[in-house]
Amino acid sequence: MKVLSVIFFTCVLQINSLEKSPSKPPTNPPQLPNPPVNPPWVSRPVSHTTHMPQTEQKPQTPKVPSIAKPANPNPDQPEQNPGKIEPTNKPHVNDGVLGPQQCLEQKYTRLSCAKVFCPPWMRCISGVCVCKVPYKCPRQESRVCTLDGLSYYSMCQANAISCRSKEPVFSHFSATCKVGDKVEVTLVKSEDSKDVIMIQTPASEKRLVCGKYWDMAAANVVCQNPGNAPSGAKLASKMSYRLLEKAKKWPNECMSVRCTGSELSLAECSIATPEPITEKTEVAVANCYKEPHQGKCEGFTCVNGRCLKYKNTCNGVDDCGDNSDEMCCLSCGNSAFHCKSHVCIPEHAVRDGIRDCLGGEDELEVTEDPKKVTEDPKKGKNKTIQQWYSDPKEEIRNIRTSLEKLECGIPNMDYVYRPEEKVPSHQRSKRLVGGEEALPTQIQWQVAIQEDKEIHCGGAYLGGCWVLTAAHCVRPKPKSFRIKISLWEKHNRQSTTDSIPVKNIIIHHEYNPQTYENDIALVQLELLNLSDQCIQENPAVRAVCVPWSTQQFQPNDTCTISGWGRNKDGKSAPILKWANVTIIADCKTYYKGRIHPGMECAGDLEGKVDSCQGDSGGPLVCKDASGVSYVWGLVSWGDKCGEPDHPGVYTKVAHYFDWIRFNTGWPAVTKYNQ
Ligand code: 4AZ
C-alpha cells in the first residue's frame, strides 16, 4: 500500500485585501478596543507560543492566478479600476443558472459579506469578512482543545486564531489538549490508481471515508496542499468498496464527512459516527490537482482561478473552494436552495437553525416544496437521522445565538394605545401621495425632526442614542433641534410622545446640496440625566435595524414609507401617514445623469404613491423573510410628487453602513457579522 500524502491540516485561507475606512474620518473616530496584554482566553497546558493578533486583521491578497479580481465590497460604487473582466462567465443552460452578469463581475466569494454571513470568528468590514480579534468571541461553557495543545474558551476563539495564522487549530478530537491529538488524513492508492481517503482520529484505527455526503467541498478540503498554492480537487468521486483490492487489508468501518468547503482540515467538518462497511458501501475518492489550473478555461472561472464545468455551478456545493460558483445564481439546481440575494445554499443548510440567506428565507418554518424539508436538529425531523460524532454546526448555532442578541426591527405589538384625551375629530384623509393614516403607535421607529419649533422632516430611530435622517434636513447646530419620538398628530403630543434634545449632528462629509449625493446625517441624542441612556423606556418606541448589505432587498420588493409630508394638493398631513412602495430598478432611465451611487428609487411608475416635501429624512422600511424591518432608504428628493415616471429618490442606507458604524462607533448598530 503506497501512502501518497499525509495532510496535517496546514492550508492557506485566502482572503482579499480590501479593508477601507471612510476617506475623511470624523474628528472623533471610534477606537477599536485593545486586546489585553496577556489574553485571558488562552491557557497553556504545554509550552507553546502563539502570536496573538493585536487588532482585526486585514485580509491577505490571495496567492492565486491573477485573472481573478477581488470582490468590490460595494457594488453600488464603481470600482476604482474596473479594468477588463475576463473571461466572461456566460449564463449557461443547466439546473441552476449563473447570473446576473453585474453580480458575476463583482467576483464574490464566501468572504463577501454583502452576500453571505461571515463565520462567527470573522467580522464584516467594507463588505469583506476579516478575522475577528479572539476576545470578541463569546465564551462557551466547556473549553476546547486545539491541535497545538492549547485550550480556548470557545471554538470561535480557536478559529479566530486559526483564521489569522491560516494554520488549522480547531479539532473536535483533541480532547486531552495534547499536541499530536490530531486527525490524520491520507490518500491511499487503490489498485486502479484512485486516491481513496483514509481518516484516523486520535486513539482509533484508520477508517475509510464513506461516499455519503462526499462532494467537491469535502474533496477540496482534503486536497489542500500545505506550503504550496492551494491546488484543490479536480474531482470528487466514489467507488464501490467491493472493487478495492482484496489482497490489501482495508478498514472495515467508514465515517461520513460533510464539509462546507471553508474548513482548513477535515477535523473542522461534520463527521458522522463510524459505520460498518458492507459490500454495498461506496467510499470516497479524490482526484487532487497537483498544481494550480493553467490554460484557457472553457467553463466557469472561479474567483480563485480554478476552472469548473458550468454544470457544477449553482448546485449548492462549493466546487471552487472559495464558493464563488454559488454566489451569483438566477436559480439553483441539484435541489439546492435559492436565496433572494442570488446565492445557492445546500439543502442540508435549510432549516438547520443557522441563517444563511441574508433575509433568513432558509430558516422559515413552512415552504411549499416538501422536498426542501430536511433535517432539523432541533425538531429531529428528517428522512434518515444522521448521528454526528462531531458537528461544528451545533457550536456555530450557539455562538451565533449569543452574538446576535440585538433587538431591532420588531415593533411592540403588545402595547395598545388608549387615547386618554380627545380623539381627533377631522375627517380621515386617504393620501400621503396615495398613503393612509397610521394608527397612533403603528410606526414605532418614526421620529420627527423639530427645528426651532417647526417640523419639516422625519427620521428613523436606530436605537441607543441614534437617529438617522437626510443631510438636507439638518444643520450642524444641535441646539436648534429636538427629536420627537412616538409622535402621531404633528401638532399634538400623545401620552407616549417625548421630545429629546440633540447632542450632536453628523452630516455626511461628502453631502452635496446641489446633487443630493450622500444625503444622510446622524443625530446623536442627549443623554438623560444621571443615565447612560438617551430615551426613557417607551412601549411605543422601537428601533429599526440598519441594513449591512446592499443586497438585502432587491428591485420589486415592497417596502413602506411614512411621514407628515404634503399630499398631491400640497397640504401637509396633520396625522402621520404611511404608504407601500416598490423598489425600482434602473432609476437612471427616469432621472438621466442624476442618480448617483447611494441613491435608490421607490414608488410606482404611475405616480399613485410617493413621498413628498415634509417626508424628507423619513424612513423607507423593508421587512425581511423573518419579519425584521430595516431602514432601507431615507426620503431624499424627486421631481415633484406623484408624477408618472418620476419616482421618489431615497438615500440607500445600506450603502452607508460602514459610515454609520464608523461614526456611531456603536457595536450594536448591527446584529450580524459583528
Ligand atoms: C422634498 O422636497 C421632496 N417625490 C421629497 C420627496 C420627493 C420630492 C420632494 C419625492 O422634500
Side-chain angles (χ1 to χ4, degrees), residues 245-559:
E245 197 185 352
K246 290 286 173 292
K248 284 183 189 167
K249 193 171 168 349
W250 292 97
N252 55 11
E253 282 188 324
C254 71
M255 287 172 121
S256 298
V257 296
R258 185 145 74 191
C259 308
T260 64
S262 67
E263 298 85 354
L264 295 177
S265 80
L266 271 196
E268 291 172 28
C269 299
S270 302
I271 302 183
T273 30
E275 45 190 285
I277 289 179
T278 68
E279 285 294 297
K280 285 195 188 130
T281 304
E282 293 210 293
V283 295
V285 172
N287 185 350
C288 299
Y289 279 115
K290 300 294 175 285
E291 49 201 44
H293 177 88
Q294 269 157 0
K296 193 167 181 304
C297 179
E298 296 295 344
F300 174 81
T301 307
C302 305
V303 170
N304 63 15
R306 288 188 204 159
C307 183
L308 297 185
K309 292 201 172 107
Y310 279 125
K311 74 175 169 64
N312 293 331
T313 63
C314 297
N315 58 3
V317 177
D318 170 19
D319 292 85
C320 282
D322 59 8
N323 214 34
S324 51
D325 51 319
E326 304 301 318
M327 303 299 284
C328 298
C329 300
L330 297 172
S331 64
C332 309
N334 228 0
S335 60
F337 184 89
H338 187 243
C339 296
K340 254 175 60 185
S341 57
H342 301 309
V343 176
C344 293
I345 62 165
E347 203 178 16
H348 65 79
V350 180
R351 269 184 305 287
D352 65 346
I354 302 171
R355 175 193 265 245
D356 294 286
C357 300
L358 296 183
E361 311 85 278
D362 56 317
E363 294 304 316
L364 290 184
E365 284 298 317
V366 215
T367 74
E368 302 94 71
D369 183 356
K371 278 206 306 271
K372 296 255 158 33
V373 180
T374 51
E375 69 221 70
D376 180 338
K378 293 269 158 41
K379 301 195 179 76
K381 270 275 133 254
N382 187 6
K383 290 171 226 151
T384 48
I385 292 168
Q386 179 66 65
Q387 295 289 315
W388 294 107
Y389 190 50
S390 78
D391 187 6
K393 271 194 179 186
E394 191 54 47
E395 268 128 331
I396 291 175
R397 236 174 259 129
N398 292 340
I399 303 167
R400 285 196 41 178
T401 313
S402 65
L403 283 172
E404 293 166 6
K405 287 237 168 75
L406 181 64
E407 278 178 23
C408 64
I410 311 276
N412 179 7
M413 300 303 243
D414 298 337
Y415 179 69
V416 185
Y417 178 77
R418 289 193 185 79
E420 64 295 315
E421 290 158 17
K422 62 175 175 76
V423 177
S425 56
H426 54 79
Q427 282 233 304
R428 290 202 142 228
S429 111
K430 271 269 177 190
R431 315 181 56 155
L432 174 126
V433 171
E436 285 200 40
E437 276 179 9
L439 296 169
T441 63
Q442 182 181 330
I443 303 167
Q444 301 183 355
W445 28 78
Q446 173 82 45
V447 305
I449 314 273
Q450 189 181 53
E451 182 183 6
D452 301 328
K453 304 261 163 14
E454 299 262 2
I455 293 172
H456 295 297
C457 275
Y461 179 55
L462 304 183
C465 294
W466 296 100
V467 162
L468 199 61
T469 189
H472 82 260
C473 285
V474 286
R475 296 174 295 130
K477 293 249 177 296
K479 290 214 161 47
S480 309
F481 289 87
R482 286 184 87 88
I483 300 300
K484 290 208 153 168
I485 56 170
S486 191
L487 188 69
W488 177 54
E489 280 188 87
K490 192 172 173 183
H491 301 293
N492 266 321
R493 64 187 315 275
Q494 51 186 2
S495 59
T496 48
T497 305
D498 204 352
S499 170
I500 304 158
V502 170
K503 182 177 177 197
N504 192 18
I505 294 177
I506 305 163
I507 297 172
H508 196 284
H509 51 282
E510 286 170 335
Y511 166 56
N512 182 336
Q514 269 81 48
T515 60
Y516 277 44
E517 279 167 285
N518 309 307
D519 189 13
I520 190 166
L522 278 161
V523 178
Q524 186 177 20
L525 307 175
E526 197 73 75
L527 282 169
L528 285 165
N529 269 348
L530 305 172
S531 166
D532 60 353
Q533 297 191 333
C534 292
I535 70 165
Q536 237 132 21
E537 177 52 39
N538 191 326
V541 175
R542 289 291 178 269
V544 66
C545 303
V546 179
W548 71 92
S549 161
T550 54
Q551 314 275 319
Q552 271 172 273
F553 298 94
Q554 309 282 341
N556 299 324
D557 281 348
T558 299
C559 305

Side-chain angles (χ1 to χ4, degrees), residues 472 610-614 616 635-642 646-649:
H472 82 260
D610 201 1
S611 50
C612 198
Q613 206 181 353
S616 283
V635 178
S636 181
W637 63 276
D639 274 355
K640 306 202 184 118
C641 307
H646 285 93
V649 185

Side-chain angles (χ1 to χ4, degrees), residues 20 72-80 106 510 518 597-598 655-656:
K20 82 172 184 216
N72 175 5
N74 198 339
D76 293 335
Q77 226 145 36
E79 290 186 60
Q80 306 232 301
Q106 296 302 325
E510 286 170 335
N518 309 307
H655 183 90
Y656 297 96

